[in-house]
Amino acid sequence: MDITGNYRDFIYQDWILIETQFHPDQLQSRETIFTIGNGYLGTRGSFEEGYMRALPATFIHGVYDEVPVVYTELVNCPDWLPLVVTINGDRFRLDQGEILNYSRQLDVRRGLLSRSVRWRSPKGSTIDLHFERFASIADQHVLGQRCQVTPLDFSGVIEIQASINGYPENPGFNHWECLEQDKTDEGIWLHRRTRNSRIDIGLAAKLTISGAEASLQVNSAPGYPTLSATFLATSNQTVTAEKLVTVFTSREVAAPEQAAREKLTLLPNYATLLQEQEKAWAEIWQKSDIIIEGDLIAAFAVRYNLFQLLIAAPKDDDKVSIPAKTLSGFGYHGHIFWDTEIFILPFFIYTQPALARNLLSYRYHTLNGARRKAAHDGYKGAMYAWESADSGDEVTPRWALPNDPYGEDVRIWCRDREIHISADIAYAVWFYWQATNDDQWMGDCGAEIILDTAIFWGSRVEFNPKYERYEIRGVIGADEYHEFVHNNTFTNRMVQWHLERAIKVYDWLKATFPEKARELEEKLHLGTKQRSRWQDIIDNIWILQNSATGMIEQYEGFFQLSDINLNEYEPRTRSMQAILGIEGANKRQVLKQPDVLMLLYLMRQSGESPYDPKTLQVNWDYYAPRTDITYGSSLGPAIHAILASDLGKSAEAYERFMQAAMVDLQDVRGNNNDGIHGASAGGIWQTVIFGFGGIQFTENGPVAHPQLPPSWTRLKFQLHWRGKWHEFDLRKEATLSSDIRGVIFDLDGVLTDTAEYHYRAWQRLADEEGIPFNRQDNEALRGVSRRESLMLIVKNRQYTEAQIQEMMERKNNYYVESIQHITPKDLLPGAIALLDELRQAGIKIAIGSASKNAHTVVEKLGIADKVDAIADGYSVEKPKPAPDLFLFAAQELGLPPNQCIVVEDASAGIEAGLAGGMLTVGLGPVERVGAANVVLPSLAGITWVDLKAKLNAANTIKH
C-alpha cells in the first residue's frame, strides 16, 4: 500500500499527526481527520477563520431532530470555533496573502489540536499565529481555544473576534430556532432549541487577552454573539487570546443556558484546564494504550483510531451510543448500527468496561422501539432497528435519492431484511457479561435484551414441514450485495447461538434473581413452552454446511450464482456493485464484506461450530477471493486481517490491517469527509489484540498466542478481565529456541498412556454410585485434577465434603492398584529417545502432572534417572489450567518460565503453559491442542533438532 500518495504531507510520530501543507481542495476530508471530542461532543477539525467549502460541525450525543426522508438526524450544534484575526485591516485567511510556513498537529495523547502558521498579509505584514483547541475530557461541558499572535516585521493594530455561530446547518437543513442571547460580566451566551425534538442548548464564552493592553467589546448580532479585542501589537511581541466555552443541553439540565453561564464564572484559566485535560487523558491511555515497536506508522495509526473511539464514547450517559461515523461527520445522519456492538464494543469491554456498559445500556433503554418495530412487522418480542437513534425505532431511510435529477430512487431494503442485528446485540451482551461478571447489570438489563429478542426469533423463523426444519427466509446477511436471500448461514447460525444463550440466561436468571425472572415471565409471557420452542429451533434450524468438506454455503442457492474473478476488474476505484449495478452484483458470487467468514470470526472467540481450522481454511480459500475487500465495506479488512493471521498468511494479514488502519488517515475510500469509519477503528483494535496478539480467553484469564507482523519487534497492551488487569508484553526474537534450557512433560498422553487406568478407576466408582459415565465423558477429564474430575462426573448431584473426599480416595485406590503393573514398555513411541537426546543436549527435564501418583508412575516407567524435577498434584493448590504447576516445575529446574517448553496433550495443560509464559507443544488433534505454539500427533520420530526447527518455523514469540 502506498502510504504517501495524496498524504505525503503527513508526518507520523508516536502520538502526533503533523500536517505540513494546507490543501484548500481537501478541507472536508481533513476536517474529519482532525476531529477532537470528549465523549459528550465531537468537533470537526474546521479552521477558526472559516471557509466557504468547509463543513464545520459539532455534534452532541443524543441531540437528534426530525428531518424528511431520513426521519431523524444528529444535529449540527452551534459552532464554538469562530476566532477571526485581523492585522492592520487584513483578515487572516489561508486563501489570501502568502503562507510562509504551515504546520497542523493532532496530539492524541493530550487530545490537543494545534496549528502554527507564518503568514504574510496582502499588505505585506508578516506574522506568526499559533492556534490551539481542546474539548475537555476532564469536564465534558468545557471547551478551550488559544490563539497566540507574534508580529515579525511590523507594529500595528490587531483585532481578535471570538464568536458563537448560532446558525449551524446540516446539509440542506437548519434544525434550530432562535431563542435568546446576551452578554454578562464574563462574556456572551446563546440559547437555541431544536425545531421538532424541542431540545434546548446553551453556550457561554469568555475571552482573555494577555501580553497587551486590549479593549474588549461585545457585538450582539442576532444569532452570532461576538467578543472583540483590539490592541496595539509590537514587533516580536507575543499576544495571547484565550477563549473558554461552556455548553449544556436540556438532556442534562432543565435550563442549559443558565448552567452554561454559571459554569463559565467558575472556570479556572486555560492553562489549568489544559493541565486537567492532560491528566485525564493520561489516565485513559494508561488503560487503553497499545505500544508497537518496529513500525512507526502502524503505532500511530492504532493510537489515532483508538483516540477517535475514545472521544466518541459517552462516559456519563447510558441512553446514547456511538454512531457509525462517531461524532465526526454527517454520514448516516448519526444513526447507530451493528457497527457499535460487533466492531467497536470489544475495545471498551476489555479496556474501559464502564463505557461498554453505557453503550449496551443504550440498547436496553431503546427496547420499546425494538418492540414497536417487531409489532409493526407482525412479530412478537423485540426486533432491533437496522438504524436507530434516540428512541430505538427504525430510522433507516426507505429510499436513497439519486444525485441525478432523472435517476431512479433506490429502495433501501436493510430496514426490512437485515435482521441479524438482534442476534448481534445479544452476542455483545453475552460477551460483556463473560468478561466482566457484571451480574447486576445482566439481571437488570442484559437478560431482558437477550430474552425479548429471542422471543422475536421464535416468531420470525418458519417451519418447513417437508424437511422438518426451521428456516429464515427473505433476509439480507452481513453481505449486502445480495438483498433478498433465504437461509443465510450467518443469520441462521447467529439465531441458533442466540437461542442457546437465551436458555442459559433464562435458567441463570431463575436461579440467581428469581424475582426478576418472575417479573420478566409476566412481562414477556415467558415460560416452559417458550423455552421448549427455543430448544426445538436450536435442534432443527437449517445450517448450510457440508459436514464432509466443511464448506459453508452463504445462503440457499449461492453456489448456483454466476462466478466471478475480481482480478479481471482491476485496476478499479469503485465498488463492484457500482461497476456491475445492483442487480448485476446480486446475480454473482461477489461479496460486499465477509459473511461466512464473519460468522467464523464471531464463533472463533469461543471455538464454537462451525469454527475450526479446517473449516476456516476451506471457506477462506473460497470466499476471500470473491470479497470486494478494497471498495466494498470498510468493515471487511480488519476481519480478513485476523483470519489471515490465523491461517499464517502474515503478509496478507498485515496488508489488510494497514488498509483498515489508514482508511481515514489516507482517505483510502475517498469518503472520509462523511466522518470517521468507526467500525473499522474498532476492528483495528481487534486485529492487533485478537489477530497479532492472538488473545484467547480462558476461565483463568486471557492468554496470548502471538503472530506479530514481520517488522514488529514488540507489542504491549493490557486487558481487563473479570475485575483484574492482565498485561502483555510480546517481543519477537530471531531464534527463540536457542534460549530454551528446560522441557516440562505431562505424563498421561505424553510420555505414557495411563488414561485407560484412570478411566477404569472412574468407571468403577461411577458404577458403584449409579452415575452414568462413558469414554466420551472421560475426554473432558484430560489434564484435570482429581477433585475437578469428580465434580464433572457427579454434575449436580449433592454430596457432603466427607463423601467427596471418600470418593476421591476410593478412585485413587483403584488407580494405584492398576498402575502397579506399569513397566518401561508402557512408554509411548518416541518418548525415551527424546528424553535421552535432551539429556545429551544439556536440557533439563521436569514432569508436570496433575496426578498425585506421578512419582510412582515415573519410577515404574524406569525414567526417574532422566528427570530433574517432578511437579505433581501435591505441589500446588491451583490445578491446570492455572499455570502454577508448570511455574513450580520451572522453579524446581532453576529456570525462568520463558526458557521452558511445556509438552501437553490436554487443552487445560496448553492454557496453563501459555498462561505461565512458556512455549507449548501440543500432542493430539488440533481441536484439542490447537492453541499450542506447535502441534504434533505424538512424539514418535520427533528429535530435539526437529522440535527446535518447528518452534522457529512457527515464528515463536515469548511474552
Side-chain angles (χ1 to χ4, degrees):
M1 175 178 289
D2 180 8
I3 59 167
T4 56
N6 293 331
Y7 286 74
R8 58 185 174 274
D9 58 307
F10 275 179
I11 297 172
Y12 305 98
Q13 297 182 352
D14 283 346
W15 291 93
I16 300 175
L17 172 67
I18 304 173
E19 178 189 49
T20 59
Q21 295 181 39
F22 169 61
H23 289 275
D25 59 331
Q26 296 180 24
L27 280 176
Q28 296 181 15
S29 170
R30 301 291 171 108
E31 285 171 342
T32 295
I33 292 172
F34 288 101
T35 294
I36 61 170
N38 60 8
Y40 171 71
L41 59 74
T43 296
R44 287 169 58 81
S46 307
F47 292 120
E48 290 81 354
E49 60 272 17
Y51 295 92
M52 288 295 295
R53 297 175 61 189
L55 202 60
T58 290
F59 301 101
I60 297 178
H61 269 306
V63 181
Y64 288 94
D65 194 39
E66 295 174 21
V67 65
V69 182
V70 296
Y71 307 109
T72 189
E73 65 184 359
L74 206 57
V75 174
N76 186 4
C77 294
D79 187 5
W80 60 280
L81 292 181
L83 197 67
V84 175
V85 181
T86 304
I87 300 104
N88 286 332
D90 283 337
R91 177 172 172 173
F92 165 67
R93 295 181 60 83
L94 293 172
D95 55 0
Q96 296 176 6
E98 183 181 359
I99 301 172
L100 303 177
N101 196 1
Y102 173 93
S103 173
R104 178 161 52 163
Q105 300 188 10
L106 176 61
D107 184 342
V108 299
R109 178 158 54 182
R110 299 191 294 160
L112 184 68
L113 178 62
S114 61
R115 177 175 49 137
S116 296
V117 181
R118 177 163 292 179
W119 183 70
R120 182 170 293 140
S121 72
K123 292 188 177 72
S125 300
T126 307
I127 188 171
D128 279 348
L129 301 101
H130 178 77
F131 297 89
E132 287 181 0
R133 78 177 70 146
F134 67 92
S136 175
I137 206 157
D139 187 335
Q140 64 181 12
H141 298 288
V142 176
L143 309 164
Q145 278 180 288
R146 173 186 278 168
C147 175
Q148 295 174 307
V149 295
T150 308
L152 297 181
D153 56 9
F154 72 97
S155 296
V157 176
I158 295 180
E159 181 185 28
I160 296 179
Q161 295 180 343
S163 307
I164 301 173
N165 178 7
Y167 296 104
E169 290 189 355
N170 289 57
F173 207 83
N174 184 342
H175 286 282
W176 295 102
E177 291 181 354
C178 300
L179 292 182
E180 52 187 336
Q181 65 185 66
D182 206 342
K183 64 179 180 178
T184 67
D185 293 340
E186 291 290 326
I188 54 176
W189 60 273
L190 178 76
H191 184 194
R192 285 284 189 267
R193 178 177 295 153
T194 55
R195 297 183 184 279
N196 297 292
S197 57
R198 314 307 286 170
I199 297 174
D200 286 20
I201 189 170
L203 295 92
K206 64 180 179 180
L207 182 67
T208 304
I209 305 294
S210 59
E213 292 292 328
S215 60
L216 204 61
Q217 294 182 328
V218 175
N219 184 332
S220 296
Y224 209 95
T226 300
L227 291 163
S228 298
T230 305
F231 51 87
L232 182 63
T234 304
S235 180
N236 294 308
Q237 170 193 359
T238 298
V239 180
T240 301
E242 294 173 345
K243 175 185 176 185
L244 300 181
V245 181
T246 54
V247 57
F248 288 84
T249 77
S250 56
R251 293 188 69 253
E252 310 98 50
V253 294
E257 74 288 353
Q258 181 180 341
R261 293 198 304 267
E262 292 174 353
K263 183 81 172 179
L264 193 67
T265 64
L266 301 174
L267 291 183
N269 60 23
Y270 178 93
T272 301
L273 290 170
L274 184 56
Q275 288 175 356
E276 293 172 355
Q277 162 89 341
E278 292 169 349
K279 181 181 178 182
W281 268 111
E283 293 174 357
I284 292 169
W285 283 118
Q286 193 278 326
K287 299 175 181 177
S288 301
D289 186 29
I290 293 176
I291 296 173
I292 295 171
E293 294 181 1
D295 189 340
L296 181 60
I297 294 176
F300 175 78
V302 168
R303 283 174 170 148
Y304 172 83
N305 281 280
L306 298 187
F307 172 78
Q308 292 297 338
L309 294 180
L310 288 164
I311 64 176
K315 63 178 181 177
D316 297 319
D317 192 344
D318 67 357
K319 293 182 174 63
V320 296
S321 188
I322 299 177
K325 293 298 184 181
T326 66
L327 298 176
S328 62
F330 295 96
Y332 296 119
H333 307 279
H335 295 173
I336 291 101
F337 294 70
W338 73 315
D339 303 34
T340 308
E341 283 76 26
I342 296 299
F343 294 90
I344 295 173
L345 193 73
F347 165 61
F348 292 107
I349 288 177
Y350 301 111
T351 67
Q352 307 274 344
L355 290 176
R357 177 174 171 151
N358 279 353
L359 294 171
L360 285 172
S361 293
Y362 160 80
R363 294 297 189 180
Y364 174 74
H365 292 303
T366 55
L367 260 174
N368 284 336
R371 289 169 179 140
R372 286 190 290 270
K373 176 171 182 177
H376 177 270
D377 288 3
Y379 302 114
K380 298 178 181 179
M383 176 188 187
Y384 277 104
W386 181 242
E387 298 182 29
S388 65
D390 50 350
S391 69
D393 290 284
E394 183 63 76
V395 291
T396 308
R398 279 188 172 84
W399 299 93
L401 306 181
N403 294 323
D404 180 356
Y406 300 103
E408 294 292 327
D409 295 352
V410 177
R411 182 69 159 86
I412 301 176
W413 289 108
C414 300
R415 62 177 289 125
D416 307 285
R417 301 171 181 170
E418 197 154 1
I419 60 175
H420 60 78
I421 187 170
S422 293
D424 305 331
I425 291 169
Y427 181 95
V429 168
W430 175 268
F431 279 101
Y432 166 78
W433 186 36
Q434 297 305 299
T436 62
N437 279 341
D438 190 350
D439 287 355
Q440 191 62 54
W441 182 88
M442 191 65 178
D444 291 342
C445 304
E448 189 169 350
I449 293 174
I450 288 180
L451 295 174
D452 212 12
T453 45
I455 291 170
F456 159 68
W457 290 126
S459 68
R460 178 62 175 83
V461 299
E462 303 171 37
F463 186 72
N464 186 330
K466 180 179 180 181
Y467 298 103
E468 296 188 343
R469 69 191 181 203
Y470 288 97
E471 302 182 358
I472 304 178
R473 303 176 64 79
V475 301
I476 299 174
D479 163 32
E480 295 173 345
Y481 280 174
H482 300 89
E483 295 186 322
F484 188 80
V485 306
H486 304 315
N487 295 303
N488 168 250
T489 303
F490 175 91
T491 303
N492 285 19
R493 174 61 182 120
M494 288 297 290
V495 169
Q496 183 186 53
W497 182 97
H498 184 168
L499 295 178
E500 290 167 350
R501 269 36 184 204
I503 290 175
K504 291 183 178 181
V505 168
Y506 189 19
D507 293 345
W508 169 84
L509 194 68
K510 289 196 291 186
T512 311
F513 297 106
E515 289 187 9
K516 184 67 175 182
R518 285 191 292 272
E519 175 191 326
L520 290 184
E521 284 172 342
E522 182 176 346
K523 179 179 179 180
L524 307 181
H525 307 293
L526 272 174
T528 55
K529 183 177 180 181
Q530 188 72 257
R531 189 184 187 283
S532 176
R533 175 165 173 76
W534 291 345
Q535 187 62 57
D536 191 39
I537 296 169
I538 291 167
D539 294 338
N540 295 292
I541 196 168
W542 190 20
I543 306 296
L544 287 76
Q545 181 177 19
N546 185 313
S547 58
T549 65
M551 191 68 195
I552 299 168
E553 187 170 16
Q554 182 171 308
Y555 60 82
E556 185 181 353
F558 181 83
F559 290 152
Q560 279 68 59
L561 300 179
S562 299
D563 207 354
I564 193 168
N565 182 352
L566 296 185
N567 292 327
E568 295 176 357
Y569 295 85
E570 298 295 345
R572 59 189 172 92
T573 57
R574 297 185 296 160
S575 73
M576 288 307 300
Q577 190 181 67
I579 293 171
L580 300 171
I582 293 175
E583 281 306 308
N586 195 44
K587 294 176 180 178
R588 290 174 172 83
Q589 293 185 41
V590 58
L591 285 66
K592 180 180 180 181
Q593 65 194 72
D595 195 300
V596 167
L597 294 178
M598 188 71 204
L599 172 64
L600 292 174
Y601 173 65
L602 293 183
M603 294 298 123
R604 169 186 185 270
Q605 181 162 335
S606 50
E608 294 180 77
S609 176
Y611 180 85
D612 62 63
K614 175 188 173 184
T615 301
L616 173 60
Q617 183 70 65
V618 69
N619 285 281
W620 171 275
D621 290 345
Y622 192 85
Y623 287 106
R626 292 166 172 82
T627 304
D628 186 2
I629 204 68
T630 51
Y631 291 101
S633 169
S634 63
L635 280 59
I639 302 305
H640 270 213
I642 297 169
L643 298 180
S645 187
D646 282 358
L647 293 168
K649 299 176 180 293
S650 59
E652 185 167 358
Y654 183 75
E655 180 183 1
R656 295 297 169 227
F657 161 73
M658 288 303 291
Q659 182 183 344
M662 306 306 287
V663 68
D664 290 309
L665 286 170
Q666 293 180 354
D667 197 10
V668 169
R669 293 171 180 266
N671 65 350
N672 80 343
N673 57 302
D674 289 335
I676 292 292
H677 292 77
S680 182
I684 290 160
W685 183 88
Q686 295 188 56
T687 302
V688 173
I689 304 303
F690 300 147
F692 300 147
I695 290 293
Q696 292 181 340
F697 294 96
T698 72
E699 284 302 310
N700 291 283
V703 177
H705 311 283
Q707 306 173 83
L708 300 195
S711 64
W712 293 16
T713 57
R714 186 187 190 194
L715 172 61
K716 183 180 180 182
F717 56 90
Q718 59 179 347
L719 301 173
H720 194 264
W721 173 258
R722 298 182 178 176
K724 295 182 180 179
W725 285 100
H726 300 260
E727 184 173 297
F728 295 85
D729 194 349
L730 314 176
R731 300 170 184 265
K732 181 179 294 183
E733 299 179 354
T735 308
L736 290 172
S737 60
S738 61
D739 293 333
I740 298 302
R741 297 170 55 198
V743 180
I744 304 170
F745 293 90
D746 186 19
L747 271 175
D748 296 346
V750 175
L751 297 179
T752 186
D753 193 357
T754 59
E756 182 64 19
Y757 298 117
H758 281 291
Y759 167 68
R760 291 175 184 174
W762 284 124
Q763 183 69 71
R764 183 175 172 184
L765 176 72
D767 290 344
E768 290 170 350
E769 295 295 322
I771 300 172
F773 184 73
N774 55 35
R775 290 187 182 276
Q776 184 176 352
D777 297 329
N778 190 62
E779 279 298 300
L781 311 185
R782 282 183 177 270
V784 176
S785 69
R786 189 186 306 167
R787 185 185 186 90
E788 189 174 352
S789 294
L790 180 59
M791 293 300 100
L792 290 171
I793 292 171
V794 302
K795 296 184 174 65
N796 296 324
R797 291 174 175 82
Q798 298 299 314
Y799 291 95
T800 65
E801 180 59 29
Q803 290 173 317
I804 291 172
Q805 292 292 337
E806 186 279 326
M807 285 191 286
M808 287 195 298
E809 185 65 22
R810 197 187 335 157
K811 179 268 174 184
N812 190 55
N813 290 336
Y814 298 155
Y815 173 72
V816 171
E817 288 176 17
S818 62
I819 63 174
Q820 298 306 316
H821 306 292
I822 290 178
T823 71
K825 293 181 180 179
D826 290 304
L827 281 164
L828 291 172
I832 194 69
L834 181 58
L835 290 173
D836 288 338
E837 186 181 5
L838 290 172
R839 298 295 286 180
Q840 293 172 11
I843 302 298
K844 294 183 178 181
I845 298 170
I847 300 298
S849 170
S851 172
K852 292 185 176 180
N853 299 288
H855 283 270
T856 301
V857 174
V858 167
E859 290 288 343
K860 294 286 184 181
L861 291 172
I863 57 173
D865 62 335
K866 303 179 190 299
V867 174
D868 300 296
I870 296 177
D872 62 11
Y874 294 106
S875 302
V876 293
E877 291 184 5
K878 292 183 179 179
K880 307 170 191 176
D884 302 28
L885 186 72
F886 294 141
L887 292 175
F888 178 85
Q891 181 180 332
E892 290 295 293
L893 293 177
L895 298 175
N898 60 9
Q899 291 184 359
C900 295
I901 296 172
V902 166
V903 184
E904 261 281 0
D905 76 318
S907 58
I910 297 300
E911 287 182 25
L914 292 169
M918 306 178 190
L919 299 175
T920 57
V921 176
L923 304 183
V926 171
E927 302 87 80
R928 193 172 71 225
V929 294
N933 300 98
V934 169
V935 177
L936 303 171
S938 69
L939 294 179
I942 296 297
T943 67
W944 176 229
V945 173
D946 292 333
L947 209 50
K948 287 192 294 183
K950 290 180 184 298
L951 288 166
N952 285 327
N955 196 24
T956 311
I957 302 166
K958 69 178 181 179
H959 75 278

